[in-house]
Amino acid sequence: METKDTIVLISIATVLYLFFYLKKCYEFFDRYNIPYTKPNWIFGNMTGAVFMKKRVFMAYADLYRQLDGYKFAGFFTMQKPSVLIRDPELIKDVLIKEFGSFQDRGITVNEEVEPITNHLFSIRGEEWKTLRTKLSGAFSSGKIKTMFPRMKKLGEKLQTVLLDVANGRDFDAEDLCERFTTDVIGSCIFGIDINSLDHPESEFRLIGKRVASFRWQRAIRSLWPGIPNRLIKLFKITLFEEQCQTFFTKMVEDTTKYLQQNGVSRSDFFDLLMSLKNTSSSSSSVNEKSQKKLDITIDMMAAQYFFFFTTGSRSPATAISCALFELARHENTQNKMREEIRTVLKENDDQLTYDVLNKMTYVDMVIAETFRKYPTMGMLLRRCKQNYRVPDTDAIISNNTPAIISIVGLHNDEKYFEKPNDFYPEHFTEVAKSKRPQHAYLPFGEGPRACIAKHFAKLEVKIGLIFMVRNYSYKVSLKQKLPFKLQSNFGFAVENGVWLKCEKVPVIKNKNTSMV
């Protein structure tokens, strides 16, 4: 009896402890005058994401809809409190006006366990500020303009490859588009010919597939971005396979060795990183703080290579393939876009130049609408680093509390977009844009931590679409399963491809054409 009584008492004590512990956790927002949605007793407000029944960014979008009428509100992931920011003006404060209070994303980086994650997207504080400033030059408007000829050349090659599939048979548009964007990143950013368009199983394509493959560790990290370093180290909860680290580290080491031995300067992204590394190693030891800011190691260079390779190939490829999917479903939109491309080129002697590209305004509208429906990032993460009083309220977002912005929620809000469930490029006419709050559309984020390469990505997508749509028409394949099954916890990445049918569209050519 004594043993049974002891077990009963321990059980009661445990239940009471959990009750009062959870009660205290869930009273968090009462202490800071923040409205919040009632949590599930154990799993908070993210039950679907906790059990991997839905992607994290879609769970945030569901919360956004549930909290209609609130400018901001609290919620819980398990017992971890976060604040969802819904109002465009408050979003502007968080991302721009009060950036100093919300500078970091709150993503844990463990350089010891996984050096490849120590890149521009994840790092914090002064180290981020210094690196961002130094790398911005690689994506200036002038630098991007010089990349145009190389992108155009690869677009012409993409158009040639399309001849092999332009017979009405099924093909995976996402795979083909990613081969194109992989070659663009190789040529324009890394100064190498990857040649994925001719060789689909190139080493870079295979490593790209490994990066995108599912890992339960990544699912945990996306649900809990601020996971303590000690747990990452103890349980080896890494975002990517060790092979990815090895591949990019070796590539940086081999390139460094080759350039140094041969005295070669290529004036590309790698040269910029090498310059930063040399600046770091030659910094005066007197200024230790400055030296720490510029501590660019081989591992850190590999991390930047990895980041720009994965984001520069995967996300634009998804955008191009999803745009083609929507064009395949909307024949009138597809025809209108093709007609603009052909008309503008005809008016300019069939010569596609950087200036001619900017005359294709309807193409821009199609691309903008694609990023609305299929944003590169489904949400934005920020972590408050000092108590912040929400303007015109008594509410305080406390130090170390995550602030979440649901891009999917904003982009599908009928207050800002007339037909949120449709693919409707007219959302981006000048009149429509003038009626909408600026910060209701955030495909690349906003403020100092907005995507550093957003103009590069838009150009990459635009060139890909022009060469794919000008002389080819598309229909959705019966092989395509709907709705899309999403592969990523942060933004749209379609699992199992985007399957279409492609056919050649007759075009009258003249002897001066540079596009066939």
Side-chain angles (χ1 to χ4, degrees):
M1 284 292 295
E2 290 183 0
T3 302
K4 289 183 179 180
D5 289 343
T6 301
I7 293 173
V8 170
L9 287 172
I10 291 175
S11 299
I12 293 173
T14 301
V15 170
L16 288 173
Y17 172 80
L18 287 174
F19 173 80
F20 286 108
Y21 169 75
L22 293 173
K23 185 174 184 294
K24 183 177 180 181
C25 287
Y26 292 147
E27 289 174 348
F28 176 86
F29 291 115
D30 292 326
R31 299 195 289 273
Y32 296 101
N33 299 312
I34 292 178
Y36 63 98
T37 183
K38 185 178 179 181
N40 178 290
W41 191 241
I42 299 295
F43 301 108
N45 305 106
M46 299 284 285
T47 305
V50 169
F51 288 101
M52 299 184 189
K53 292 183 178 179
K54 64 175 64 174
R55 297 304 184 190
V56 173
F57 74 93
M58 294 305 293
Y60 289 144
D62 289 345
L63 275 174
Y64 179 96
R65 287 187 285 270
Q66 293 167 20
L67 294 167
D68 188 28
Y70 290 90
K71 291 185 176 182
F72 62 96
F75 69 95
F76 294 88
T77 302
M78 303 292 281
Q79 289 76 52
K80 299 292 182 181
S82 300
V83 177
L84 187 73
I85 311 295
R86 299 182 77 259
D87 176 65
E89 280 303 309
L90 187 53
I91 288 172
K92 180 180 179 180
D93 283 354
V94 169
L95 298 182
I96 302 174
K97 291 176 66 177
E98 299 295 334
F99 177 73
S101 298
F102 297 91
Q103 177 174 307
D104 298 329
R105 300 187 194 277
I107 298 174
T108 301
V109 174
N110 191 311
E111 298 177 52
E112 181 182 348
V113 175
E114 194 172 24
I116 204 170
T117 61
N118 192 32
H119 49 62
L120 186 64
F121 183 85
S122 303
I123 59 176
R124 307 180 182 188
E126 290 301 311
E127 188 178 28
W128 163 80
K129 186 177 180 180
T130 300
L131 187 60
R132 170 84 185 204
T133 300
K134 297 297 184 180
L135 294 183
S136 294
F139 299 98
S140 66
S141 57
K143 195 74 172 179
I144 289 174
K145 191 171 183 179
T146 65
M147 298 175 185
F148 171 77
R150 281 174 280 175
M151 284 196 195
K152 177 185 171 184
K153 184 177 180 180
L154 288 167
E156 291 168 346
K157 189 172 185 178
L158 170 64
Q159 188 173 235
T160 302
V161 172
L162 273 171
L163 286 171
D164 293 334
V165 298
N167 54 11
R169 64 182 173 88
D170 300 329
F171 78 103
D172 182 357
E174 187 172 45
D175 178 74
L176 178 58
C177 292
E178 193 163 351
R179 286 157 56 192
F180 165 69
T181 55
T182 297
D183 286 352
V184 168
I185 286 294
S187 176
C188 296
I189 304 300
F190 301 152
I192 56 178
D193 293 324
I194 296 176
N195 207 14
S196 294
L197 283 169
D198 287 335
H199 303 285
E201 297 303 311
S202 68
E203 192 175 12
F204 273 89
R205 284 289 294 125
L206 294 178
I207 203 71
K209 290 178 180 178
R210 295 189 77 88
V211 169
S213 62
F214 175 80
R215 283 173 61 80
W216 66 266
Q217 297 96 325
R218 191 182 304 147
I220 292 173
R221 293 280 294 273
S222 61
L223 189 63
W224 190 4
I227 184 172
N229 260 312
R230 64 181 181 275
L231 294 183
I232 294 175
K233 188 173 182 178
L234 180 62
F235 296 106
K236 299 291 183 182
I237 309 175
T238 58
L239 289 168
F240 306 100
E241 298 176 8
E242 188 175 347
Q243 181 179 352
C244 297
Q245 175 74 51
T246 303
F247 177 84
F248 285 96
T249 301
K250 186 177 186 304
M251 185 175 71
V252 168
E253 289 175 340
D254 291 347
T255 305
T256 301
K257 184 177 179 180
Y258 172 80
L259 295 180
Q260 290 177 340
Q261 288 180 346
N262 294 277
V264 177
S265 178
R266 305 186 306 192
S267 299
D268 59 8
F269 185 73
F270 192 88
D271 266 1
L272 180 58
L273 289 176
M274 281 296 297
S275 175
L276 292 180
K277 183 177 183 300
N278 293 336
T279 301
S280 169
S281 55
S282 64
S283 296
S284 171
S285 58
V286 175
N287 191 348
E288 294 181 0
K289 186 176 180 181
S290 176
Q291 187 173 355
K292 183 178 180 181
K293 289 181 188 178
L294 294 172
D295 188 16
I296 309 296
T297 64
I298 289 292
D299 279 342
M300 195 170 192
M301 291 174 66
Q304 311 319 311
Y305 247 51
F306 167 78
F307 172 64
F308 284 105
F309 169 74
T310 52
T311 56
S313 57
R314 185 70 172 173
S315 298
T318 298
I320 298 171
S321 57
C322 286
L324 292 173
F325 169 76
E326 292 291 352
L327 293 172
R329 297 174 72 192
H330 300 86
E331 187 176 1
N332 289 339
T333 302
Q334 182 180 166
N335 290 338
K336 185 175 180 179
M337 179 173 165
R338 183 180 300 108
E339 181 61 27
E340 181 188 67
I341 293 169
R342 290 182 169 185
T343 299
V344 170
L345 286 170
K346 184 177 180 181
E347 291 171 351
N348 292 274
D349 298 322
D350 278 330
Q351 300 299 313
L352 182 64
T353 66
Y354 191 80
D355 292 333
V356 167
L357 197 75
N358 293 327
K359 297 178 182 179
M360 299 181 186
T361 55
Y362 190 72
V363 176
D364 289 330
M365 290 165 60
V366 168
I367 292 171
E369 178 67 352
T370 301
F371 281 124
R372 182 192 71 83
K373 285 201 74 175
Y374 309 98
T376 300
M377 292 289 293
M379 76 278 196
L380 298 178
L381 307 176
R382 296 290 187 271
R383 186 176 293 276
C384 188
K385 68 175 188 178
Q386 58 190 18
N387 285 1
Y388 168 75
R389 183 181 294 277
V390 179
D392 303 319
T393 74
D394 294 327
I396 293 176
I397 300 177
S398 63
N399 178 43
N400 211 37
T401 301
I404 311 295
I405 298 167
S406 173
I407 295 178
V408 173
L410 286 165
H411 288 192
N412 287 276
D413 193 328
E414 61 183 9
K415 293 194 298 291
Y416 310 127
F417 298 95
E418 180 183 353
K419 300 178 181 180
N421 297 321
D422 296 341
F423 186 80
Y424 187 61
E426 285 69 21
H427 283 140
F428 293 92
T429 63
E430 291 303 317
V431 172
K433 288 190 292 185
S434 69
K435 295 179 179 178
R436 183 168 58 242
Q438 180 182 353
H439 296 90
Y441 179 66
L442 299 168
F444 295 96
E446 192 57 86
R449 285 205 85 136
C451 175
I452 192 174
K454 63 181 180 180
H455 298 301
F456 176 90
K458 288 178 183 178
L459 181 62
E460 189 177 9
V461 171
K462 191 170 186 178
I463 289 176
L465 280 174
I466 288 171
F467 279 98
M468 293 188 81
V469 172
R470 187 203 187 198
N471 294 334
Y472 299 92
S473 66
Y474 300 89
K475 295 184 182 299
V476 179
S477 166
L478 294 176
K479 190 174 180 178
Q480 179 62 54
K481 295 181 180 180
L482 297 174
F484 286 150
K485 187 175 181 181
L486 302 178
Q487 192 174 38
S488 169
N489 261 322
F490 286 100
F492 280 90
V494 183
E495 193 170 285
N496 301 320
V498 176
W499 290 89
L500 304 173
K501 291 179 180 290
C502 173
E503 291 185 350
K504 190 86 163 56
V505 178
V507 60
I508 299 175
K509 298 178 286 186
N510 67 48
K511 62 182 179 180
N512 294 321
T513 185
S514 65
M515 300 177 65
V516 293

